[in-house]
């Protein structure tokens, strides 16, 4: 008889529900991880609402914290029973795209076996969990290319302390890294959801001395202060662009990080920049963007726009967990609620509607 497990699967638009699925078999390069804690991402809510298509019956979720249950025969240097995380993005790191410095855009594993991968460049194809393969909101998850993607959790760190590493922290910090921040910079971070809050923390860690957090929710702005914001602006009460100009003596910000994915925030992120400034974009956009001529000096302002998908891989995870272990930042404050996997529908309901001051929900299979 096949051993079964519980998993949260996409049924149809508006329905993510628990189902029984077989515990997957382990191929030579895989690792089977027993999930101890996972979470729900804003992206999963897009999947729930039918705004981002995935196959019916796919297990959702892409943020694994757990214990190695079984290792593939080719995976070396790990032990069964070891506590690990894996990045939300699990490239195989063999492709031209990965070796060119863009492992998150590594889609080489999609090329049929035996054929040349040619280049492996496929936008976002490093994202497999809960997108192209079964994800982490389950009792077990199969981690592909485990040798490259399994990252042991340092002793003494709790599940909650590392739960943000696979996606939210990696993405938010990448936003700061992509913003070309230098010591003494002024950085404006648009939107203070979990990823924006991590971008705020990352901007401060990278040496910005004035981090300006923007949101429409005073509760979230309060948390942004804890995460490292020097100034908070509620866009409902002020004109953000003119406030930033006032705060910088008319100079403009050195960089702006967009962490929402709307025309309004993208445009304001451009408008607060100094000439030569950098817009680091993290948001997932759901319609075309327009760039007003006046906001980027008709193309002559030496502005840079950088985009990114969450970096994955064991080295990235090791570094992020080092940041946590050294107490440079406490992301445990982002985990506001805990649910059993059995109650995943209620967890989605709370998270999707942003009730009760929720930031992130820890999901525990047992
Ligand atoms: Zn995510």
């Amino acid at each position: 008889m096949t051993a079964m497990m519980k998993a949260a699967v996409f049924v149809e638009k508006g329905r993510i529900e628990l189902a029984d699925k077989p515990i997957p078999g382990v191929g030579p390069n895989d690792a089977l991880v027993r999930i101890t804690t996972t979470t729900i991402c804003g992206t999963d809510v897009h999947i729930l609402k039918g705004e981002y298509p995935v196959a019916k019956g796919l297990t959702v979720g892409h943020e694994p914290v757990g214990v190695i249950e079984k290792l593939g025969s080719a995976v070396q240097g790990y032990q069964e029973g070891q506590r690990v995380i894996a990045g939300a993005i699990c490239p195989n790191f063999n492709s031209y795209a990965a070796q060119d410095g863009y492992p998150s855009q590594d889609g080489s594993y999609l090329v049929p076996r035996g054929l040349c991968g040619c280049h492996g460049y496929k936008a976002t194809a490093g994202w497999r969990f809960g997108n192209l393969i079964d994800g982490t909101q389950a009792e077990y998850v199969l981690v592909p290319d485990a040798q490259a993607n399994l990252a042991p959790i340092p002793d003494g760190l709790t599940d909650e302390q590392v739960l943000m590493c696979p996606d939210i922290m990696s993405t938010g910090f990448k936003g700061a890294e992509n913003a070309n921040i230098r010591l003494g910079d002024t950085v404006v971070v648009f939107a203070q959801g979990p990823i924006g809050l991590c971008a705020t923390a990352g901007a401060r860690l990278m040496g910005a001395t004035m981090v300006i957090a923007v949101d429409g929710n005073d509760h979230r702005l309060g948390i942004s202060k804890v995460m490292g914001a020097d100034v908070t602006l509620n866009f409902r009460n002020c004109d953000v662009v003119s406030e930033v100009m006032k705060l910088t003596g008319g100079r403009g910000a050195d960089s702006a990080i967009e962490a929402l994915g709307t025309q309004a925030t993208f445009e304001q992120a451009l408008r607060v920049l100094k000439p030569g400034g950098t817009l680091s974009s993290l948001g997932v956009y759901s319609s075309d963007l327009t760039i007003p001529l006046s906001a980027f000096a008709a193309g002559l302002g030496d502005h840079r726009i950088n985009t990114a998908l969450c970096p994955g891989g064991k080295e990235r995870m090791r570094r992020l967990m080092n940041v946590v272990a050294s107490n440079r930042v406490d992301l445990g404050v982002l985990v506001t609620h805990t649910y059993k996997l059995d109650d995943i529908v209620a967890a989605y309901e709370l998270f999707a509607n942003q009730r009760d001051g929720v930031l992130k929900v820890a999901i525990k299979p047992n």
Side-chain angles (χ1 to χ4, degrees):
M1 232 180 72
T2 318
M4 303 295 280
M5 65 173 185
K6 284 180 287 189
V9 303
F10 175 75
V11 179
E12 62 182 7
K13 183 177 169 177
R15 284 175 67 198
I16 286 175
E17 292 172 3
L18 271 194
D20 289 318
K21 281 187 145 179
I23 297 175
V26 181
N29 297 314
D30 303 328
L32 183 68
V33 168
R34 177 171 58 80
I35 295 289
T36 51
T37 308
T38 183
T39 181
I40 301 173
C41 180
T43 310
D44 299 322
V45 175
H46 287 299
I47 290 171
L48 172 66
K49 291 179 176 171
E51 295 161 359
Y52 183 91
V54 299
K56 288 183 178 178
L58 187 82
T59 304
V60 289
H62 49 260
E63 293 154 282
V65 182
V67 173
I68 298 173
E69 180 81 8
K70 195 169 182 352
L71 284 169
S73 56
V75 186
Q76 296 182 28
Y78 301 88
Q79 289 89 44
E80 289 169 5
Q82 197 171 17
R83 293 178 66 225
V84 289
I85 62 171
I89 306 302
C90 281
N92 74 9
F93 288 95
N94 289 330
S95 69
Y96 292 86
Q99 292 190 19
D100 195 24
Y102 300 102
S104 294
Q105 318 300 341
D106 174 0
S108 55
Y109 61 91
L110 295 170
V111 176
R113 241 185 127 68
L115 291 179
C116 172
C118 271
H119 49 65
Y121 287 94
K122 176 138 177 63
T124 77
W127 174 29
R128 291 196 258 185
F129 287 140
N131 180 30
L132 299 172
I133 64 173
D134 278 335
T136 62
Q137 289 168 19
E139 290 181 275
Y140 297 90
V141 69
L142 199 62
V143 176
D145 296 299
Q147 189 77 52
N149 288 301
L150 283 183
I153 300 171
D155 289 341
L157 293 187
T158 65
D159 281 17
E160 280 72 11
Q161 281 178 292
V162 298
L163 182 58
M164 298 303 113
C165 296
D167 182 4
I168 302 305
M169 183 186 187
S170 189
T171 302
F173 276 32
K174 182 65 179 174
E177 290 161 328
N178 263 356
N180 297 320
I181 295 169
R182 293 182 302 174
L183 290 168
D185 269 356
T186 296
V187 179
V188 188
V189 185
F190 285 87
Q192 296 293 299
I195 285 174
L197 288 166
C198 285
T200 294
R204 187 179 185 105
L205 282 172
M206 293 195 70
T209 47
M210 192 195 289
V211 180
I212 303 169
V214 181
D215 202 282
N217 178 321
D218 283 327
H219 176 65
R220 291 186 170 202
L221 288 172
I223 295 165
S224 76
K225 287 252 180 182
V226 179
M227 300 292 283
D230 299 284
V231 180
T232 60
L233 297 177
N234 186 324
F235 64 79
R236 297 181 202 283
N237 309 332
C238 70
D239 182 298
V240 170
V241 176
S242 57
E243 284 301 317
V244 171
M245 288 304 159
K246 259 187 247 168
L247 287 162
T248 57
R251 185 172 176 272
D254 299 290
S255 46
I257 301 171
E258 199 287 344
L260 188 62
T262 67
Q263 172 69 32
T265 45
F266 180 84
E267 194 173 320
Q268 291 207 333
L270 266 182
R271 291 189 187 279
V272 299
L273 286 181
K274 70 177 184 185
T278 301
L279 192 171
S280 171
S281 171
L282 292 175
V284 182
Y285 301 90
S286 50
S287 58
D288 289 347
L289 288 174
T290 53
I291 299 181
L293 284 180
S294 61
F296 82 137
L300 305 174
D302 280 330
H303 296 112
R304 276 165 292 179
I305 299 175
N306 290 327
T307 69
L309 174 63
C310 174
K314 63 185 175 187
E315 170 64 2
R316 175 71 171 179
M317 294 302 118
R318 185 188 70 80
R319 287 172 176 273
L320 296 178
M321 288 190 287
N322 278 352
V323 175
V324 174
S326 60
N327 291 314
R328 294 298 196 274
V329 66
D330 176 13
L331 302 178
V333 298
L334 301 187
V335 183
T336 52
H337 294 72
T338 300
Y339 280 82
K340 286 193 171 307
L341 180 62
D342 285 336
D343 301 322
I344 189 87
V345 173
Y348 267 95
E349 207 274 320
L350 173 95
F351 184 74
N353 295 299
Q354 293 188 11
R355 285 197 285 103
D356 298 344
V358 65
L359 286 169
K360 289 289 278 186
V361 180
I363 305 289
K364 308 265 187 185
N366 284 298

